[in-house]
Each structure stands twice: as C-alpha cells, then as structure tokens.
Amino acid sequence: DLKADKAAASLDVHIGHMADPKGREGLSHFLEHMLFLGTEKYPKVGEYNEFLKENGGWSNAGTGQEHTNYYFEVNEDAFEQALDRFAQFFIAPTFDPQYVEREKNAVNSEYTMKIKDDARRIREVLKETSNQAHPASQFSVGNLATLADRKGSLLIDDLKNQYEQYYSASRMALSVVAKEDLDTLEALVRAQFMPVP
C-alpha cells in the first residue's frame, strides 16, 4: 500500500481454546500471554512492546475457539525490525519459568474482571446449554485453578507441549501490509519466517 503511513502484520495460528486439554482449560490463552515474554534472540521481557511503542506502534493478540491471532502496527521505517521480533515468537520463545506466576495471575485477572460482562455471560450460557461432549462447551479463559501446577503435571511443561504440538507453519497464516512492493515483502517474510518449524 503505497499510501500507508504505518506497516502491520497479523499471524493467525489455527488453534484455539477448543484444543485445551481436559483439566487445563485456558492453556491456549495462557500460551498467548507467554509468547510476549521474550525469545532467544530478544530475551528482554517487554522489549517487543517497548520497540513498537518507540516506533509509533502497538500490538495485541486474542484466543478464540479455533484460532489465536497475533498482530502489530508500527511506523513504516521500523517494520523490518518489528517483523523480526514478531517472527521470533514462532521460532524460539523462551517460556521463562519465572514469569509463569505473573501471567497466570494476568489470565485470572482477565477472567475475574469480565465475570459480570453481559457478552461473556451470554457466551457462558451458550456453552452450558450446548453439547457438553463438544470442546466448544468448555471453559476457555483460564483461571488460577485450571492453570495450577498439579502432581505430575506442571503448567510450564503443559505449556511447552501445547506449543510444540500446535505451533507449526502448517497451521499458520501471515498477512503483512507496508509500502514495499509484493516481491520485497515476500522476500522479507521468507527470510524471517523460514525458521518456523
């Protein structure tokens, strides 16, 4: 887009909370949170969002039933560097155990903050009145109970297993928009995302 004053990217992983293991409801949502907390190439927690903010950008993510979507926007001149940081989420996240408790509490806060939200309540009624054998009926957000360590089942291990099982290039779709022509953007994407397993 030659008229764009910003550049942006969105990566969709075709996996959502319906893939959460029984007893680990909210694991996919928790995984979404943990990806923002450092990678092997960019290990400093918060560096990704700091970089975006310093360059007129922002980011977010969301976990749905069958999809998890990660996206960002940034000034055009910082796009290549931002895209490299973004790609590392899907190549080599650190999943630093020291941030597990913090992010469990963040997920739980999201859950408790929206308990009285009308849209959330309607979704919960639909889940409760649907076929209970279908994974769409299960709790999706996660809380301190579903994300607790258990005997023989540490949350960090379950998190890594979920990532290794579902976060592969075959389940991902990437969209980018910037001022560069398509050949240039394709070359950039190929160079930065080829290491995704």
Side-chain angles (χ1 to χ4, degrees):
D1 182 351
L2 295 174
K3 297 177 185 174
D5 61 344
K6 298 274 188 177
S10 174
L11 188 141
D12 183 84
V13 184
H14 191 174
I15 195 69
H17 69 75
M18 288 199 314
D20 291 346
K22 274 284 185 215
R24 274 288 183 230
E25 292 80 6
L27 185 62
S28 294
H29 181 211
F30 179 67
L31 170 56
E32 170 209 313
H33 277 242
M34 290 294 290
L35 280 184
F36 284 85
L37 300 176
T39 63
E40 289 177 15
K41 187 171 182 180
Y42 301 101
K44 183 182 170 200
V45 172
E47 193 274 344
Y48 170 69
N49 282 323
E50 285 172 21
F51 179 85
L52 293 176
K53 189 175 180 181
E54 288 168 4
N55 290 282
W58 56 273
S59 71
N60 208 340
T63 302
Q65 287 186 330
E66 297 182 278
H67 296 269
T68 304
N69 191 265
Y70 302 84
Y71 48 96
F72 74 88
E73 175 183 293
V74 70
N75 290 339
E76 177 72 29
D77 61 350
F79 182 59
E80 186 172 346
Q81 290 176 295
L83 194 65
D84 185 49
R85 286 165 171 78
F86 184 63
Q88 297 305 309
F89 288 7
F90 312 104
I91 296 168
T94 56
F95 295 132
D96 192 332
Q98 70 176 317
Y99 297 104
V100 167
E101 287 303 314
R102 184 183 93 173
E103 291 310 307
K104 270 186 357 185
N105 284 311
V107 167
N108 190 67
S109 290
E110 280 186 46
Y111 165 65
T112 57
M113 185 174 70
K114 293 186 177 182
I115 282 179
K116 295 184 179 183
D117 179 77
D118 285 343
R120 172 74 49 91
R121 286 179 167 196
I122 290 168
R123 274 196 306 275
E124 292 306 316
V125 168
L126 292 172
K127 288 179 183 186
E128 195 62 34
T129 57
S130 67
N131 178 352
Q132 294 301 293
H134 194 280
S137 69
Q138 70 188 21
F139 178 53
S140 59
V141 181
N143 61 24
L144 293 178
T146 64
L147 299 175
D149 283 334
R150 301 186 183 104
K151 188 176 181 181
S153 177
L154 296 178
L155 178 60
I156 192 71
D157 294 337
D158 293 341
L159 171 79
K160 290 175 181 177
N161 289 338
Q162 189 84 343
Y163 180 84
E164 289 169 11
Q165 182 175 359
Y166 294 116
Y167 275 58
S168 67
S170 61
R171 291 182 173 269
M172 296 177 181
L174 175 69
S175 298
V176 299
V177 62
K179 286 184 178 179
E180 291 79 14
D181 62 65
L182 290 177
D183 290 341
T184 302
L185 289 174
E186 181 181 356
L188 176 63
V189 164
R190 285 186 183 278
Q192 292 186 348
F193 284 84
M194 284 300 284
V196 174

